[in-house]
Amino acid sequence: MRYAQTLPVSLARLPSMSFFSNKKFSLPPGSALPLLVAGAFFMENLDATVIVTALPQMAKDFGVHPVDMNIGVSAYILTLTVFIPASGWIANRFGTRNVFSMALVLFTLASVLCSASVSLGTFTAARMLQGFAGALMVPVGRLVVLKNTQKSDLIRAIATITWPGLVAPILGPPLGGFITTYASWHWIFILNVPLGVVALLFARRLIPQIPGEKGVPFDLTGFVLTGIACLGLIFGLDKFNEGTFDWKPFAMIGAALVAGALAIRHSKRAAHPLLPLVALKIKSYAVTIYGGSLFRVAIGALPFLLPLMFQLAYGMSAFDAGLLVLSVFAGNLAMKPFTSAILHRFRFKSIMLVNGLLNCATIFACALLTPQVPTALTLLLLFASGMTRSMQFTALNTLAFSQVPAGQMSGANTLFNTAQQLSTGLGIAIGALSLRIAEHFLPASDTLRIDTFHIAFIIIGLFSLAGTLDSLTLDKTAGDEIRRKKESVPRPAVPEK
């Protein structure tokens, strides 16, 4: 809804619409294209979590355990992860506007198929098609903005794209809860149809028609190895979540690790690798991949664990549980006006350490929540969690490209998006696995106990702590080239009177 409301306002600010027909395209000040990108990211991220509060009802309709429904969430994010590396090549080969428009059509069609699903298997297949379409939106968005933004304006540009991705996972649970409680979970996906049509209309007007590039071969070996690594990791963890410990999950995860190692070796030797690793030599970028991924695992698990705890352990309705989680969005919203100022004022290393530790504290504090805790205190904790996650996400996403040369930007962007989506998918899978681990150490019960969730939050908090401590390896001057924007801009000379 925010996308549909704000886009026409930005269009009105454009001095003219003549640039639609220009062969050479550049982003004018106040362009509506960043808002279109933000809207696409919003749709993509919203669908990752909007069904979380609907999972118990969907599980009942499909005749499965509520925890087993995590595959419907993970499959979407997993498919995103697998095809994001290929999406960059596809966009360059066939043209960004054609690929983006096709992705919107497929995303809308897949949403209709999700609403028509009658079993967990058909639902998972439809979610995978939806994830494939979502992956094709990525290269048209972030990369176009990155290539047309000066280093000094990077904080503002990244904040514009990052914020919808933060808002969507938090708006998802209450929105899904409202629809599930007062209508049916099927309408969650039907609502994507008008949004997809509106986005398609603006995409055809805003994104220039640039011919595709020929001559660069598709790295099929890299695609297959990367896909096997991602699939094996996610599905291996999902097998653990089924509660049966046999050789299959170990074999899947083992195969994933081997494929991942071979993919890394191949990327270092190939002339045109699907996932270039050269940017990992830059420390500021590497920290956002390694430590940042651990942090995203923790954050990705929270929208899965919190609504389930409030429904299954607290006994709340889907809508009430979603409203409670909405306080995390309020924290994101409250922090938004201050993120850029904080990044300009303090060093990235200090921000990521102090703010990261505060976020760890809010996750560990969730292990103390019970139905007897006053609602106001629970809201305050989730609000603080939203503030710290907003600050940390913006810092990570901005620092990632602060020292990346223009020639490496495309490969760095592809790898960053892949790591981001994989860690988010792992967050949901590891969140579900944490519940299974907790059940193993607690007395058997037909329903998930409050103690089960407490143990899960402690496990997830350790991931966030490990990711935060990786920031210690940063140089204290990391990100200074974009942090000191005002100081780096020369003032015009004042003529003498």
Side-chain angles (χ1 to χ4, degrees):
M1 292 298 294
R2 180 177 179 84
Y3 158 69
Q5 293 170 355
T6 57
L7 193 51
V9 176
S10 296
L11 281 171
R13 295 175 183 170
L14 291 175
S16 69
M17 304 298 285
S18 61
F19 67 94
F20 292 141
S21 59
N22 293 343
K23 293 183 179 180
K24 185 177 180 181
F25 175 71
S26 61
L27 286 175
S31 171
L33 183 58
L35 288 179
L36 174 63
V37 174
F41 285 174
F42 179 83
M43 288 177 58
E44 182 180 296
N45 284 277
L46 181 67
D47 259 57
T49 55
V50 70
I51 67 169
V52 170
T53 44
L55 292 182
Q57 184 61 47
M58 296 175 69
K60 183 179 179 181
D61 290 348
F62 293 159
V64 298
H65 192 282
V67 177
D68 295 337
M69 286 298 302
N70 80 89
I71 186 59
V73 183
S74 299
Y76 173 78
I77 300 175
L78 172 64
T79 311
L80 273 174
T81 306
V82 171
F83 285 99
I84 279 177
S87 63
W89 182 89
I90 294 173
N92 289 332
R93 176 64 181 82
F94 299 102
T96 53
R97 190 171 78 174
N98 292 335
V99 173
F100 190 78
S101 300
M102 182 188 69
L104 287 172
V105 173
L106 285 177
F107 193 90
T108 305
L109 175 61
S111 297
V112 175
L113 294 177
C114 286
S115 68
S117 299
V118 295
S119 67
L120 181 58
T122 57
F123 176 72
T124 301
R127 289 286 281 177
M128 293 181 72
L129 177 60
Q130 205 174 33
F132 171 73
L136 296 182
M137 299 180 192
V138 176
V140 182
R142 189 192 297 266
L143 187 58
V144 170
V145 176
L146 287 173
K147 284 189 172 182
N148 291 273
T149 303
Q150 299 292 332
K151 291 286 187 182
S152 58
D153 295 324
L154 202 57
I155 290 178
R156 175 189 56 80
I158 295 299
T160 302
I161 300 174
T162 300
W163 192 62
L166 284 171
V167 172
I170 304 305
L171 282 181
L175 178 61
F178 177 83
I179 295 174
T180 302
T181 302
Y182 296 103
S184 169
W185 62 264
H186 305 82
W187 285 95
I188 291 175
F189 301 100
I190 296 176
L191 288 178
N192 283 333
V193 176
L195 293 177
V197 172
V198 172
L200 180 62
L201 292 176
F202 280 111
R204 301 301 294 180
R205 290 179 60 86
L206 292 175
I207 300 178
Q209 179 69 300
I210 300 176
E213 300 176 0
K214 299 181 179 180
V216 178
F218 181 70
D219 182 14
L220 181 60
T221 301
F223 176 73
V224 171
L225 290 175
T226 304
I228 292 175
C230 295
L231 287 169
L233 197 56
I234 295 292
F235 283 117
L237 290 173
D238 184 67
K239 280 294 181 182
F240 276 123
N241 291 332
E242 292 179 358
T244 57
F245 294 91
D246 54 21
W247 61 271
K248 294 180 181 178
F250 292 101
M252 289 182 179
I253 294 178
L257 295 177
V258 172
L262 292 175
I264 293 174
R265 181 184 179 186
H266 171 77
S267 295
K268 292 180 178 179
R269 297 183 176 186
H272 302 284
L274 204 63
L275 282 179
L277 305 178
V278 63
L280 287 174
K281 297 179 181 179
I282 304 172
K283 188 61 182 177
S284 59
Y285 178 81
V287 167
T288 65
I289 297 295
Y290 299 131
S293 294
L294 292 173
F295 174 79
R296 293 184 188 95
V297 165
I299 296 304
L302 292 181
F304 174 77
L305 291 174
L306 285 171
L308 281 181
M309 182 178 73
F310 293 142
Q311 289 182 80
L312 301 179
Y314 278 44
M316 290 183 172
S317 68
F319 181 51
D320 290 338
L323 285 179
L324 201 55
V325 178
L326 193 61
S327 56
V328 180
F329 161 70
N332 286 334
L333 186 64
M335 196 66 191
K336 175 66 169 63
F338 305 104
T339 52
S340 295
I342 292 173
L343 289 174
H344 283 303
R345 175 64 180 85
F346 301 100
R347 296 187 184 277
F348 274 83
K349 181 177 182 178
S350 300
I351 294 172
M352 291 169 64
L353 280 173
V354 174
N355 183 78
L357 290 175
L358 289 175
N359 182 263
C360 294
T362 62
I363 297 177
F364 285 126
C366 289
L368 302 176
L369 292 177
T370 65
Q372 289 71 41
V373 174
T375 303
L377 191 58
T378 302
L379 291 172
L380 182 62
L381 172 62
L382 298 182
F383 180 83
S385 176
M387 294 184 70
T388 55
R389 64 177 264 145
S390 178
M391 187 70 250
Q392 198 76 354
F393 263 118
T394 304
L396 285 169
N397 290 357
T398 306
L399 180 64
F401 304 98
S402 62
Q403 296 178 329
V404 177
Q408 299 177 14
M409 192 67 78
S410 178
N413 176 66
T414 301
L415 178 59
F416 183 85
N417 279 287
T418 302
Q420 187 176 46
Q421 293 298 337
L422 177 60
S423 56
T424 303
L426 287 176
I428 297 171
I430 292 176
L433 180 60
S434 299
L435 291 175
R436 291 297 190 187
I437 293 174
E439 286 182 316
H440 181 71
F441 292 101
L442 294 173
S445 176
D446 293 334
T447 59
L448 291 174
R449 299 152 39 104
I450 188 68
D451 296 345
T452 307
F453 288 96
H454 290 170
I455 295 175
F457 282 120
I458 293 175
I459 295 173
I460 295 302
L462 293 175
F463 277 86
S464 179
L465 180 61
T468 299
L469 294 180
D470 189 42
S471 300
L472 289 170
T473 62
L474 281 172
D475 187 86
K476 66 178 182 179
T477 61
D480 279 2
E481 48 276 299
I482 59 175
R483 188 175 66 85
R484 296 174 179 174
K485 172 185 173 184
K486 296 181 180 179
E487 296 178 10
S488 61
V489 177
R491 295 182 179 180
V494 179
E496 296 181 2
K497 295 182 179 180

